[in-house]
Amino acid sequence: MSNIQNVSVIGGGTMGNGIAHVFALSGSDVTLIETKQAYADRALNTIEKNLNRMVKKEKIKESEKKGTLDRIAVSLDAGSGVANADLVIEAVPEIFEVKKKVFKTVDEHAPKHAIFASNTSSISITKLAESTDRPDRFVGMHFFNPVPVMKLVEVINGLKTDPDVTEHILALADTLGKVAVPANDSPGFVSNRVLMPMINEAIFCVYEGVAEAEDIDHIMKLGMAHPMGPLRLADFIGLDICLDILQVLYDGFKDPKYRPCPLLVKMVDAGKLGDKTGEGFFTHD
Ligand code: 3HC
């Protein structure tokens, strides 16, 4: 299988800019595709800020930071932005129709050998792969926030994914300094199938008055050695994202154990989405 040197990342949000960061840092030539220059500038600023943090912590040298930034080009057109890609990673909002449209466009313009990966947190890889003419060259590449820090990449096989493509992506993740772990396509894959019910249960504890939000997080941090309590983590991920994922689990399994807590639904309806809106279970600067 051909070497992966040119990587196109579609979407420069929290996950997309982190993915561009780690690929460029490991030596790939990255094209970051956004819809507006202002969004692309914001993504580049975030990458620079996070690289500066790594320089300050003496994890990388100033010259590596510069090299990383030099390896990132921006494109405002998905078609031309994937024209030389060996790998296309999609990190656009978690809406099936939006992702489908993106993949249809890039399928027309990307080289035939290019592998397509989605960073979706829970949408079916098998279903997304069918928006393209290359379901055998389509995988899930699920990164974790903050991408430069978190070690895991969950690599998801769609029903038609060629096992050689999966092997190639597993090996590639290794070159990023990540640990890649395979899973088969199923609602929420492994990570979110296990994580989201824990977060949902913590929200039920608030809803039913079992304990205060701070105390629930305190218990889980100290008792389970989690770096963040489940409610702080929910704010960090985004309460809207948590709700979307729970909805995928609930719809996918038709099992009431995945029923989103009514408090979560109410908070999302009220626009209390966590860090990104400044208020969730906790307030944030
Ligand atoms: N880029 C680069 N480095 C970063 C960073 C970023 N965006 N954010 C933090 N760091 C580095 C810091 O420089 C620091 O480095 P050091 O260890 O060398 O000092 C280290 O990460 C820790 O950061 P801080 O000291 O600022 O803060 P904390 O110790 O509180 O750690 C945290 C922050 C890494 C976010 C930690 O709280 C954590 O691991 N939280 C859990 C995160 C988690 O579970 N993420 C997964 C979410 S689920 C997901 O993404 C999947 C999706 O599908 C929902």
Side-chain angles (χ1 to χ4, degrees), residues 156-233:
I156 299 109
N157 295 302
L159 200 62
K160 294 185 184 165
T161 309
D162 179 341
D164 287 347
V165 168
T166 307
E167 281 308 315
H168 202 49
I169 294 297
L170 288 169
L172 176 71
D174 201 42
T175 68
L176 300 175
K178 303 287 184 200
V179 177
V181 184
N184 289 323
D185 193 18
S186 176
F189 318 131
V190 171
S191 54
N192 279 321
R193 182 171 175 175
V194 176
L195 174 65
M196 287 303 157
M198 181 190 72
I199 287 178
N200 200 36
E201 213 51 46
I203 301 172
F204 268 110
C205 287
V206 179
Y207 183 60
E208 293 170 8
V210 179
E212 297 295 325
E214 292 80 5
D215 295 336
I216 292 165
D217 270 14
H218 214 163
I219 287 167
M220 296 304 287
K221 273 175 74 175
L222 296 185
M224 320 300 153
H226 290 184
M228 284 175 167
L231 300 168
R232 176 69 194 91
L233 184 57

Side-chain angles (χ1 to χ4, degrees), residues 90 92-100 103 118-129 131 138-142 156-158 184-189 192 244-245 247-249:
E90 165 276 314
V92 303
E94 289 287 286
I95 303 164
F96 176 71
E97 289 303 327
V98 174
K99 289 186 189 285
K100 182 176 164 181
F103 277 118
S118 174
N119 178 57
T120 181
S121 49
S122 59
I123 295 175
S124 163
I125 293 300
T126 306
K127 197 169 156 194
L128 279 174
S131 348
F138 198 110
V139 285
M141 220 177 161
H142 185 200
I156 299 109
N157 295 302
N184 289 323
D185 193 18
S186 176
F189 318 131
N192 279 321
D244 284 350
I245 299 172
Q247 212 64 62
V248 167
L249 289 167

Side-chain angles (χ1 to χ4, degrees), residues 9 40-41 43 46 61 87 90 98 102 110 136-137 146 153 176 198 217 222 234 248 250 276 285:
V9 179
D41 290 344
T46 304
K61 298 196 184 80
L87 171 67
E90 165 276 314
V98 174
V102 164
D136 55 324
R137 302 187 71 71
V153 183
L176 300 175
M198 181 190 72
D217 270 14
L222 296 185
V248 167
Y250 190 51
K276 64 182 134 184
D285 290 332

Side-chain angles (χ1 to χ4, degrees), residues 15 17 21 46-47 49-51 53-54 57 59 94 119-122 142-150 154 191-192 195-196 199 226-228 232-233 236-237 241-242 245:
M15 300 306 287
N17 75 59
H21 171 138
T46 304
I47 294 170
K49 196 182 77 192
N50 286 330
L51 287 168
R53 191 205 291 254
M54 295 176 89
K57 300 259 170 162
K59 288 189 172 163
E94 289 287 286
N119 178 57
T120 181
S121 49
S122 59
H142 185 200
F143 289 83
F144 292 79
N145 185 22
V147 180
V149 179
M150 303 300 285
E154 191 179 28
S191 54
N192 279 321
L195 174 65
M196 287 303 157
I199 287 178
H226 290 184
M228 284 175 167
R232 176 69 194 91
L233 184 57
F236 182 64
I237 293 169
I241 308 272
C242 293
I245 299 172

